[in-house]
Amino acid sequence: GESVGLHLPTLSVQEGDNSIINCAYSNSASDYFIWYKQESGKGPQFIIDIRSNMDKRQGQRVTVLLNKTVKHLSLQIAATQPGDSAVYFCAENQAGTALIFGKGTTLSVSS
Amino acid sequence: DGGITQSPKYLFRKEGQNVTLSCEQNLNHDAMYWYRQDPGQGLRLIYYSQIVNDFQKGDIAEGYSVSREKKESFPLTVTSAQKNPTAFYLCASSIEYRPSEAFFGQGTRLTVV
């Protein structure tokens, strides 16, 4: 089936920098997108979501951008902290169907 | 506290043996899911259950079996037919069948020795 992919498997940033994690999706019928954070040895945690009728959504220190023209999704983390170090996954969903997960980007934050 | 609990956290199995992974939730959720995660890969759906006594195959069900005799429990058996069982297994649940709204457990790491 179609899959969601991430552009980079790893991203290293300095504490205090802004991080941008990218994701490309291929199913134009997907109408809901989610970003998850997964710390080592733990299950994924929901970070933020966005519906296809939106271009941008902001949370606490995080922003998700959706560009449907090029089927691109990004997660921006402001003032990245060491506690943000984890694997970040995007996932796409079409109503009534299973989630499709991307491969994940490992974010490493050095202080 | 309400939550979803997977046990054990680490599990070792000899090749050719069946092994059962436990998943329990006290969230009163109807739907439960099992995913497999391999290094550098996204989660892949093994099985899901929308309601008690019902379950459906996901994308990679071969070599796995499940049961849903109770609302709060959705055990996964990794059988000897699963050729590459070493992986991180994640259970999730949601109020109803809405995979995007599921909460995840902490996972079980299965290693075949």
Side-chain angles (χ1 to χ4, degrees):
Chain A
E2 297 184 85
S3 63
V4 178
L6 285 166
H7 293 300
L8 292 175
T10 60
L11 176 65
S12 297
V13 301
Q14 292 286 322
E15 182 178 1
D17 287 351
N18 295 333
S19 302
I20 300 175
I21 301 172
N22 296 306
C23 176
Y25 67 96
S26 57
N27 184 4
S28 56
S30 292
D31 54 12
Y32 184 61
F33 304 87
I34 306 168
W35 279 101
Y36 292 93
K37 173 184 180 182
Q38 185 177 24
E39 296 175 317
S40 181
K42 296 185 178 180
Q45 291 178 289
F46 172 94
I47 302 174
I48 192 167
D49 58 0
I50 189 167
R51 297 206 172 274
S52 58
N53 60 352
M54 302 172 68
D55 297 322
K56 179 180 179 179
R57 189 157 189 234
Q58 287 185 294
Q60 188 175 19
R61 279 202 308 119
V62 294
T63 301
V64 56
L65 299 177
L66 177 62
N67 185 331
K68 294 181 288 293
T69 302
V70 295
K71 299 193 186 77
H72 184 268
L73 190 68
S74 69
L75 176 70
Q76 299 178 3
I77 305 173
T80 313
Q81 302 168 0
D84 294 327
S85 295
V87 178
Y88 290 82
F89 293 92
C90 63
E92 63 174 312
N93 185 235
Q94 187 178 353
T97 67
L99 277 173
I100 299 174
F101 289 85
K103 294 183 179 181
T105 290
T106 299
L107 176 65
S108 299
V109 183
S110 52
S111 50
Chain B
D1 289 336
I4 181 165
T5 303
Q6 290 185 242
S7 61
K9 188 171 177 65
Y10 299 96
L11 190 57
F12 296 87
R13 184 194 100 174
K14 290 185 179 180
E15 202 168 337
Q17 288 182 336
N18 292 357
V19 62
T20 298
L21 282 59
S22 171
C23 179
E24 303 277 332
Q25 53 95 4
N26 59 3
L27 300 167
N28 201 33
H29 285 175
D30 280 319
M32 297 186 75
Y33 316 81
W34 274 106
Y35 291 93
R36 171 182 171 137
Q37 186 176 28
D38 293 286
Q41 300 295 318
L43 279 66
R44 292 182 290 167
L45 183 65
I46 305 173
Y47 267 99
Y48 66 96
S49 169
Q50 297 189 47
I51 201 165
V52 175
N53 294 321
D54 178 73
F55 49 83
Q56 306 292 332
K57 292 182 179 180
D59 298 325
I60 56 165
E62 185 175 351
Y64 300 98
S65 65
V66 293
S67 63
R68 188 82 189 280
E69 297 176 1
K70 297 186 296 182
K71 186 175 186 177
E72 59 270 24
S73 180
F74 191 39
L76 173 73
T77 297
V78 184
T79 75
S80 57
Q82 170 50 237
K83 298 305 178 188
N84 187 20
T86 296
F88 191 52
Y89 290 88
L90 287 158
C91 181
S93 70
S94 57
I95 293 174
E96 54 187 29
Y97 181 66
R98 293 182 184 174
S100 59
E101 297 180 12
F103 293 94
F104 285 86
Q106 295 299 291
T108 292
R109 186 167 298 281
L110 173 65
T111 303
V112 174
V113 296

